[in-house]
Amino acid sequence: MVKQLLGGISPRRFLSDYWQKKPLLVRQAIPGFPGVISRDQAFALACGFDAESRLVWQTAGGWQMKHGPFKPKDFRRRGPWTVLVQGLNLLDDDADALLRRFDFVPWARLDDLLVSYASDGGGVGPHFDSYDVFLIQGMGRRRWQIGAQRDLEIIEGAPLRILKHFRIEQEWVLEPGDMLYLPPSYAHNGIAEGECMTYSVGFRAPAAQELATQFLVHLQDRLEMQGRYSDPGLAPPRHPGEIGSHMMDTVGEIIDRIAWNRHSVRDFLGCYLTEPKSHVFFDPPDRPLGRKAFAARVARGGIRLHRKSQLLFAGNSFYLNGEMIEVPPADRATLRELADRRTLPALADAGEATLAMFYNWYCDGFVVPGQR
Ligand code: SIN
Ligand code: CO
């Protein structure tokens, strides 16, 4: 199935020849793709508080943008316009399933699925993204124009990042089920031909500044330093207003004792990458099953991660929704499978400790027992 998604190219070849390097157009990557949600469902999501949404349109004065939540009347408009809903995978299981088809890239690199609806002629203007993106055409048709330009200067003061000079090198009209892959910083412009919907699979490539800042925050929370500043050999200063060199040396030695290693980096990545976004809240079950009923359901129907849950591992270390979790050695293979596939088949002989752990996660809304 993944070969079809990539137009007959193996994931290995896609990654070596295209990923982060050059665009790839795949006709009928998902044959007969009807889309994941309807136009009205997209509008309803853009009117709610659960989704991050934006409305984009153009006036004589230039590009305009407004953040949601919207009112239905915001969508009764003339002229080309578009509405975008981010994080659709967090709101809809089918959207999550679409995102999870891209498992030839590690989950740690995956960001979210965005859906856009555009009226005839609508789009967000010529721009580039800092991330890799797969643009999958849902309902309707969209013309994509792309260019490998180096000049990425954007129009100053615009509410959207629009390229000042856009040079079209290639263009295609995408039909439902067609897909276009673009590497980071590739200039592109999508124009709806009639009303249309497009799904974008976005990836995560944090800026070096963000990684460093967040690593320091992680380290700070775990730092345990002994001792205190002291200066038993203090001599009368020539300048009482001066920060003396002894003080600088002593504090420098204290700071040199801040240490980190690969384990610190691993635990940072595990917590940082699985941390739910700030607007994500888990919904514990309204009337949770008791422990016994839960165990029976899991024994018959297995268990799956809730679409909002993120579980990653590195060796024997596991991270769920921003926290490091202790997993007994006997359960590690099971947990790795859950992290990879996000679902586990019937678990008839799960140990007590595993079941207790899963039950707690279930009560927090992190996992869902199977249906059977
Ligand atoms: C869109 O779907 O209108 C925009 C997607 C993109 O250009 O990244
Ligand atoms: Co884009």
Side-chain angles (χ1 to χ4, degrees), residues 82-84 114-118 122-125 127 129 133 135 142 144 182 188-190 197-200:
T82 188
V83 63
L84 304 109
L114 172 145
V115 64
S116 68
Y117 163 85
V124 298
H127 68 282
D129 300 305
V133 63
L135 300 155
R142 187 189 282 271
W144 281 105
L182 295 175
H188 56 285
N189 186 29
M197 291 178 77
T198 303
Y199 295 83
S200 311

Side-chain angles (χ1 to χ4, degrees), residues 149-198:
Q149 64 196 62
R150 292 258 178 87
D151 170 8
L152 297 177
E153 199 183 339
I154 55 172
I155 299 175
E156 262 171 58
L160 283 152
R161 291 157 40 87
I162 304 286
L163 284 167
K164 216 169 185 172
H165 314 284
F166 178 47
R167 277 186 304 279
I168 304 167
E169 288 171 356
Q170 282 178 292
E171 64 182 299
W172 308 273
V173 175
L174 269 66
E175 309 259 351
D178 291 347
M179 182 174 83
L180 176 62
Y181 163 75
L182 295 175
S185 304
Y186 216 93
H188 56 285
N189 186 29
I191 308 158
E193 302 212 334
E195 53 174 4
C196 83
M197 291 178 77
T198 303

Side-chain angles (χ1 to χ4, degrees), residues 280-298:
V280 170
F281 299 98
F282 288 88
D283 301 312
D286 284 338
R287 281 188 291 138
L289 299 166
R291 276 175 194 274
K292 271 197 162 157
F294 173 80
R297 275 274 286 279
V298 171

Side-chain angles (χ1 to χ4, degrees), residues 225-303:
M225 304 287 285
Q226 307 300 323
R228 180 183 295 279
Y229 179 79
S230 67
D231 49 5
L234 187 66
R238 202 140 65 93
H239 298 289
E242 188 181 26
I243 299 169
S245 60
H246 170 269
M247 181 175 241
M248 276 188 268
D249 291 344
T250 310
V251 172
E253 281 160 21
I254 292 174
I255 289 173
D256 281 345
R257 293 202 325 250
I258 301 175
W260 67 83
N261 55 30
R262 237 175 115 77
H263 292 171
S264 333
V265 175
R266 176 197 64 199
D267 291 345
F268 157 65
L269 280 172
C271 296
Y272 169 75
L273 293 170
T274 61
E275 180 72 33
K277 291 186 181 166
S278 58
H279 64 282
V280 170
F281 299 98
F282 288 88
D283 301 312
D286 284 338
R287 281 188 291 138
L289 299 166
R291 276 175 194 274
K292 271 197 162 157
F294 173 80
R297 275 274 286 279
V298 171
R300 283 198 309 273
I303 201 165

Side-chain angles (χ1 to χ4, degrees), residues 12-335:
R12 188 173 293 280
R13 220 191 105 209
F14 170 77
L15 294 175
S16 68
D17 293 1
Y18 296 91
W19 178 251
Q20 304 237 299
K21 298 171 197 78
K22 61 183 184 192
L24 175 68
L25 171 73
V26 182
R27 293 286 181 194
Q28 291 306 288
I30 309 179
F33 181 54
V36 175
I37 58 169
S38 68
R39 177 185 77 165
D40 290 346
Q41 284 171 316
F43 291 177
L45 289 176
C47 291
F49 284 88
D50 288 345
E52 284 180 85
S53 54
R54 281 168 294 153
L55 188 67
V56 176
W57 71 102
Q58 228 180 334
T59 63
W63 289 89
Q64 309 292 327
M65 197 255 288
K66 202 174 132 184
H67 285 281
F70 298 102
K71 298 257 184 307
K73 72 172 167 43
D74 289 315
F75 305 133
R76 289 193 283 273
R77 37 191 332 125
R78 289 165 188 280
W81 60 278
T82 188
V83 63
L84 304 109
V85 177
Q86 224 155 307
L88 185 64
N89 53 298
L90 301 172
L91 306 167
D92 183 284
D93 280 334
D94 292 336
D96 182 54
L98 176 60
L99 192 65
R100 302 291 167 187
R101 292 179 68 162
F102 291 78
D103 64 356
F104 48 90
V105 180
W107 296 147
R109 285 285 271 117
L110 207 54
D111 189 6
D112 74 341
L113 185 74
L114 172 145
V115 64
S116 68
Y117 163 85
S119 70
D120 186 24
V124 298
H127 68 282
F128 68 93
D129 300 305
S130 311
Y131 318 101
D132 310 78
V133 63
F134 288 92
L135 300 155
I136 308 165
Q137 189 55 31
M139 173 264 278
R141 290 148 50 98
R142 187 189 282 271
R143 178 176 298 274
W144 281 105
Q145 307 170 320
I146 67 168
Q149 64 196 62
R150 292 258 178 87
D151 170 8
L152 297 177
E153 199 183 339
I154 55 172
I155 299 175
E156 262 171 58
L160 283 152
R161 291 157 40 87
I162 304 286
L163 284 167
K164 216 169 185 172
H165 314 284
F166 178 47
R167 277 186 304 279
I168 304 167
E169 288 171 356
Q170 282 178 292
E171 64 182 299
W172 308 273
V173 175
L174 269 66
E175 309 259 351
D178 291 347
M179 182 174 83
L180 176 62
Y181 163 75
L182 295 175
S185 304
Y186 216 93
H188 56 285
N189 186 29
I191 308 158
E193 302 212 334
E195 53 174 4
C196 83
M197 291 178 77
T198 303
Y199 295 83
S200 311
V201 176
F203 291 85
R204 232 180 144 165
Q209 178 72 33
E210 154 86 2
L211 283 172
T213 306
Q214 293 305 323
F215 177 65
L216 291 177
V217 169
H218 172 92
L219 207 57
Q220 165 186 307
D221 291 346
R222 285 154 185 84
L223 211 55
E224 277 178 39
M225 304 287 285
Q226 307 300 323
R228 180 183 295 279
Y229 179 79
S230 67
D231 49 5
L234 187 66
R238 202 140 65 93
H239 298 289
E242 188 181 26
I243 299 169
S245 60
H246 170 269
M247 181 175 241
M248 276 188 268
D249 291 344
T250 310
V251 172
E253 281 160 21
I254 292 174
I255 289 173
D256 281 345
R257 293 202 325 250
I258 301 175
W260 67 83
N261 55 30
R262 237 175 115 77
H263 292 171
S264 333
V265 175
R266 176 197 64 199
D267 291 345
F268 157 65
L269 280 172
C271 296
Y272 169 75
L273 293 170
T274 61
E275 180 72 33
K277 291 186 181 166
S278 58
H279 64 282
V280 170
F281 299 98
F282 288 88
D283 301 312
D286 284 338
R287 281 188 291 138
L289 299 166
R291 276 175 194 274
K292 271 197 162 157
F294 173 80
R297 275 274 286 279
V298 171
R300 283 198 309 273
I303 201 165
R304 65 180 167 84
L305 290 174
H306 187 274
R307 57 179 184 266
K308 292 180 187 168
S309 274
Q310 311 231 57
L311 174 65
L312 296 174
F313 69 89
N316 292 329
S317 304
F318 293 81
Y319 309 88
L320 177 69
N321 298 333
E323 306 272 344
M324 185 162 171
I325 48 175
E326 284 302 326
V327 179
D331 296 330
R332 288 181 186 151
T334 307
L335 261 281

